[in-house]
Amino acid sequence: MAKKLVLILMYNLKMIKKVKKFTQAPLPFQGQKRRFLKQFKEALNSFKTDAIYVDLFGGSGLLAHTVKQQYPNARVIWNDYDNYAARLEAIPQTNILLAGLRPIVHGLSKNERLPLSLRPNVLGVVKQHEDLYGFVDYVSLSASLLFSGNYATNFEEFEKETFYNCVRTADFDATGYLEGVERVQGDYRKLYNQHQQADVVFLVDPPYLSTDTKTYKSESYWKLRDYLDVLNVLDDSNYFYFTSNKSQIVELCEWIETRTHVGNPFAGATINTTGGSVNYNSGYTDIMLYKNKESPD
């Protein structure tokens, strides 16, 4: 009897772990789609439960995680071009760093600017941590100590910034995140060429036009040519495509369609929008377009 109860408990714990869902990425990531999750999940209902979902611009993996949670039988491929996995693996070290920072900011209000007298303490903890572990997740650190939307990628950039108390009171936890998702790392065009078949749905969330991509695996801005080249993957594909009103890419494609013989890759797609913001004085509209060729008109 006791053995049976133990087996039942183990099974229940396994099921609890299996159904754990993330409504945002476990670590900060510029451009993650947490505000679109509800609409994204609703739109997924019109796609196959056992299709192959290929996240060409995987980012934080939030879209891939969401698909795998909703459709456990689907094959989900995550292109971890930015090596987000390395940050996930370093969560224990990042939590140690945050634990060292909390006593320094204790007593300060949320988002309060740190007094200059505390800067040496902060920098000392960060430098000591980097010397000890050989790695600092500067994106997560930036989200804890820099003004909203500002990111540093190394100590030299970080020490030039003004610090604010945004330090988390809880540790990061990515337990079960991306479980069952296949990780690859490479150019999105090669991945697209490998998976051009009928039962594939492409998740296409490239960096927004003119976005500063320093927190991505890139040394330059995402320019118009890069942005337009991505549209090639939409031709005759099932897809989800994410952009913003800043790019005006939807209007551009409509203009091209009416004045040239080039087709509009968004023709027949469903469009959803939601508000977004970088910080308190900078806003924009996020756009999600999706098309399922097998859905009835």
Side-chain angles (χ1 to χ4, degrees), residues 140-283:
S140 294
L141 182 64
S142 296
S144 294
L145 283 167
L146 302 189
F147 190 73
S148 178
N150 288 358
Y151 293 94
T153 58
N154 54 55
F155 186 81
E156 290 70 27
E157 293 177 356
F158 180 73
E159 66 179 342
K160 296 175 183 177
E161 297 285 347
T162 300
F163 299 151
Y164 296 82
N165 176 29
C166 308
V167 178
R168 289 170 56 96
T169 58
D171 285 345
F172 289 113
D173 180 16
T175 304
Y177 189 62
L178 295 173
E179 187 172 337
V181 172
E182 299 177 33
R183 177 185 181 270
V184 298
Q185 189 175 38
D187 189 287
Y188 79 90
R189 287 161 289 203
K190 292 182 179 179
L191 188 59
Y192 166 72
N193 289 331
Q194 293 169 1
H195 295 281
Q196 293 186 57
Q197 55 198 78
D199 59 343
V200 170
V201 180
F202 291 106
L203 310 180
V204 189
D205 183 21
Y208 288 170
L209 185 62
S210 298
T211 294
D212 183 352
T213 57
K214 72 177 183 179
T215 61
Y216 304 131
K217 186 182 174 183
S218 174
E219 297 178 353
S220 61
Y221 275 67
W222 188 259
K223 294 182 170 42
L224 180 60
R225 180 172 186 141
D226 303 309
Y227 209 74
L228 293 176
D229 282 345
V230 173
L231 299 180
N232 290 323
V233 308
L234 306 184
D235 291 340
D236 199 33
S237 298
N238 299 312
Y239 66 79
F240 284 85
Y241 178 86
F242 297 86
T243 184
S244 81
N245 64 332
K246 285 186 175 182
S247 71
Q248 297 184 316
I249 192 72
V250 178
E251 291 85 351
L252 175 61
C253 288
E254 291 173 348
W255 184 91
I256 292 174
E257 181 183 30
T258 58
R259 289 164 176 79
T260 70
H261 296 293
V262 178
N264 181 353
F266 301 123
T270 302
I271 183 169
N272 292 141
T273 63
T274 186
S277 65
V278 177
N279 50 51
Y280 74 92
N281 61 359
S282 178

Side-chain angles (χ1 to χ4, degrees), residues 86-150:
R87 295 178 55 203
L88 293 175
E89 292 174 4
I91 281 179
Q93 290 77 26
T94 301
N95 287 336
I96 291 173
L97 176 56
L98 292 179
L101 293 170
R102 290 186 189 112
I104 299 175
V105 301
H106 180 73
L108 297 178
S109 301
K110 183 71 173 178
N111 298 323
E112 181 180 348
R113 181 172 175 173
L114 268 64
L116 292 178
S117 60
L118 296 182
R119 285 184 60 84
N121 302 46
V122 170
L123 295 173
V125 167
V126 174
K127 191 68 172 68
Q128 183 181 37
H129 184 90
E130 189 162 36
D131 291 342
L132 180 61
Y133 293 100
F135 174 81
V136 168
D137 180 354
Y138 279 101
V139 177
S140 294
L141 182 64
S142 296
S144 294
L145 283 167
L146 302 189
F147 190 73
S148 178
N150 288 358

Side-chain angles (χ1 to χ4, degrees), residues 2-45:
K3 184 178 180 180
K4 184 177 181 180
L5 289 174
V6 170
L7 290 174
I8 292 173
L9 178 60
M10 291 176 63
Y11 175 80
N12 288 337
L13 289 174
K14 183 178 180 181
M15 292 304 296
I16 290 172
K17 180 180 178 181
K18 184 177 180 181
V19 301
K20 181 177 180 181
K21 298 180 181 179
F22 289 77
T23 56
Q24 63 180 14
L27 291 173
F29 189 87
Q30 184 180 5
Q32 62 166 295
K33 290 295 173 285
R34 63 181 183 272
R35 294 186 182 88
F36 254 126
L37 281 194
K38 181 178 179 181
Q39 296 180 61
F40 177 60
K41 288 189 286 188
E42 290 175 350
L44 273 175
N45 290 326

